[in-house]
Structure formats: C-alpha cells, structure tokens
Amino acid sequence: MLALLLAFMVFNAVRKDRREYRDFKRLRSTKRRQKMFRKWVRQSFLNFGGAAVVVLLLTWQYVPLFLDAVNEWGFVADARRAFAESGWLGPAIVAAFVVLLAGGAVLGIVLARSETEVPAIGDVQALLPRNRAELKYGAALAINAGVVEELLFRLALPVLIFAVTGSTIAAVVASILIFGMLHVYQGAAGIIGAVIMGAAFMTIYLATGSIVVAIVVHALFDLRSLVLIPVVVFKVHKELGSGAPRRTATKVDVPPLVA
C-alpha cells in the first residue's frame, strides 16, 4: 500500500502536476482558469482525501501506537501533558496563537499595500486569483488543501510509514519530505518552502495532539496567500473577471507561498 501510494503521488507530481501547471500559466481566459481550478479542487479532494480515508481505515490500529511512540519524545510529551492539564487554558492559548499568527499576516499584508512586490517562496504567481470571479476558487483551494493535506501528510501517511518501518523518526521525516517534493511544480524554492511549512504543521499537530489545529492553521495560511493578498494588495475583488485582468499581478516579483 505504501509503495502504491508513493508511486501514485510521484507520478502525479512529476508528470501530471508539472505539465498542467505549465499549461495553466499560459491561460488568460478567466473561464478556462476557473475550469482548471475546479478540476484541481475536485482531484485534490478525491485523491488526497480519498487516500487519507483508505489509509486510515486500513491502518487505524497503528494510530494509537504511533501517537504513543511519538509521545515518548521529550518535547512532545511535555507539550501534550501541559496541554491536557491546562483545561480551558490550553485551547485558549492555541486559539490566541492562531489569532496572533493571522493578525500578524494581515498586518504585514496591509503594510505591503504600497509595495511593488510581496516577499514569498516558490513559483505560484499563476495561482493567485486575478479577479472577483476567481476569488472563490482561491478560497476553495486553500480550505481543501488545509483539510485533505493535513489528513494525509500529518496523520495517515506518517502512520502508514510507521506501520511499515516501526520508526517514528522515519515516519515524521519522510512524510515531511514527501509533502515538500510534491510541490516540485513550484521549483526548488517551492520545495524548500513546502518542507519548512510541512515541518511547522507537523510540529503543531504533534505538540497539540490535534489534527484539527493543524488543519485550521494550514487553511488560514493558504487563505492568506490565495485570498487575503489578492484582495488587500492587488484589489482583485474590484475586477469583474470577464476576460484577462489588468496587469496588477506584475507587482509580484516573488509570489506568496502556497503550502
């Protein structure tokens, strides 16, 4: 099962995703871009979400074993113990952290309104919604990625690798690296950025013991890139989107990272 899953993901990343993204960058019609956005949301939901469900159903008995093994790591045990013993304070701290993270991102974007570029990593400029008609697809991509990618790469895949290898370190490290390599279509910088973000999401999941927290943080991060930046910096919500938009996207020399 692990070999089949890896083969499927490698084929999609190396052959299909790179080719489709290359073709997507040439599109100028909003309707054609929307069609591709719908395809990507649907495929991601079915492929990643479906794979996560199948893997979890077949390896569910390994989930508590994996979590118990990870809990033997010092920082994880301390974090989870503190979280469990804090009562309402633990969730409140996590919520405050998420709010501060989101607030900092919003503030940075607002301050960047007058700038000519938005600092970021990876070749994802083409993914940015260009007008009002594309904004809802940016939101759909962000929320879908937060849910299905966290379920697969932070929960299901590490458990599957752990079931095969018996090593928590191999499970955690390999799942982070695989997550990064699937962003090959964004170039080397995109892979590195995705590895860093994957490690951050994995740390959040292991420290809190809640995949829901990781899902929320991941979705918020992608919403920042695919909705907030286009709206606040480039005012794309003012573009109706009947055809090719004004060239506001030329303000972006380095596009925002999409995890």
Side-chain angles (χ1 to χ4, degrees):
M1 180 169 38
L2 177 59
L4 289 174
L5 180 60
L6 292 178
F8 175 74
M9 290 192 294
V10 168
F11 173 80
N12 275 275
V14 175
R15 297 291 299 278
K16 181 175 173 294
D17 290 352
R18 292 179 69 181
R19 183 182 67 252
E20 285 189 351
Y21 190 60
R22 183 183 64 244
D23 295 340
F24 179 77
K25 290 193 290 185
R26 301 192 184 104
L27 298 180
R28 294 296 178 265
S29 167
T30 292
K31 289 185 178 180
R32 295 182 66 184
R33 283 170 56 87
Q34 288 176 315
K35 182 178 179 180
M36 186 59 74
F37 281 139
R38 287 194 295 268
K39 177 182 178 181
W40 284 341
V41 171
R42 181 174 63 251
Q43 287 184 342
S44 175
F45 181 80
L46 293 176
N47 293 343
F48 286 173
V53 170
V54 171
V55 169
L56 289 173
L57 287 176
L58 296 177
T59 62
W60 190 254
Q61 67 271 27
Y62 289 97
V63 174
L65 299 177
F66 170 73
L67 295 177
D68 288 343
V70 170
N71 203 38
E72 295 177 0
W73 298 358
F75 84 95
V76 174
D78 293 341
R80 288 192 179 177
R81 187 181 305 110
F83 188 77
E85 295 176 353
S86 63
W88 62 269
L89 184 60
I93 292 175
V94 172
F97 172 77
V98 171
V99 170
L100 288 174
L101 185 66
V106 172
L107 179 61
I109 293 170
V110 171
L111 294 177
R113 285 181 299 176
S114 60
E115 299 296 327
T116 58
E117 63 182 45
V118 178
I121 304 173
D123 177 20
V124 293
Q125 180 175 348
L127 287 175
L128 295 178
R130 309 176 312 172
N131 49 56
R132 187 187 306 171
E134 294 179 3
L135 268 178
K136 60 182 179 182
Y137 294 100
L141 283 170
I143 295 172
N144 180 77
V147 174
V148 302
E149 291 181 6
E150 290 308 301
L151 288 177
L152 180 59
F153 293 103
R154 252 57 74 186
L155 184 59
L157 184 59
V159 170
L160 178 58
I161 296 174
F162 173 76
V164 173
T165 65
S167 169
T168 53
I169 295 178
V172 170
V173 173
S175 61
I176 292 173
L177 293 178
I178 292 169
F179 176 73
M181 292 304 299
L182 291 185
H183 292 74
V184 65
Y185 70 93
Q186 297 179 10
I191 294 175
I192 295 172
V195 168
I196 294 173
M197 294 310 303
F201 297 145
M202 179 66 80
T203 300
I204 291 172
Y205 166 53
L206 295 180
T208 62
S210 172
I211 194 64
V212 174
V213 176
I215 288 173
V216 171
V217 173
H218 188 155
L220 287 175
F221 184 85
D222 282 5
L223 283 170
R224 161 198 171 272
S225 299
L226 294 175
V227 176
L228 200 58
I229 285 177
V231 168
V232 175
V233 178
F234 303 125
K235 305 294 190 295
V236 300
H237 59 291
K238 297 181 179 180
E239 298 284 345
L240 297 180
S242 57
R246 295 181 305 181
R247 295 182 60 81
T248 53
T250 56
K251 294 181 179 180
V252 182
D253 293 332
V254 185
L257 171 66
V258 178

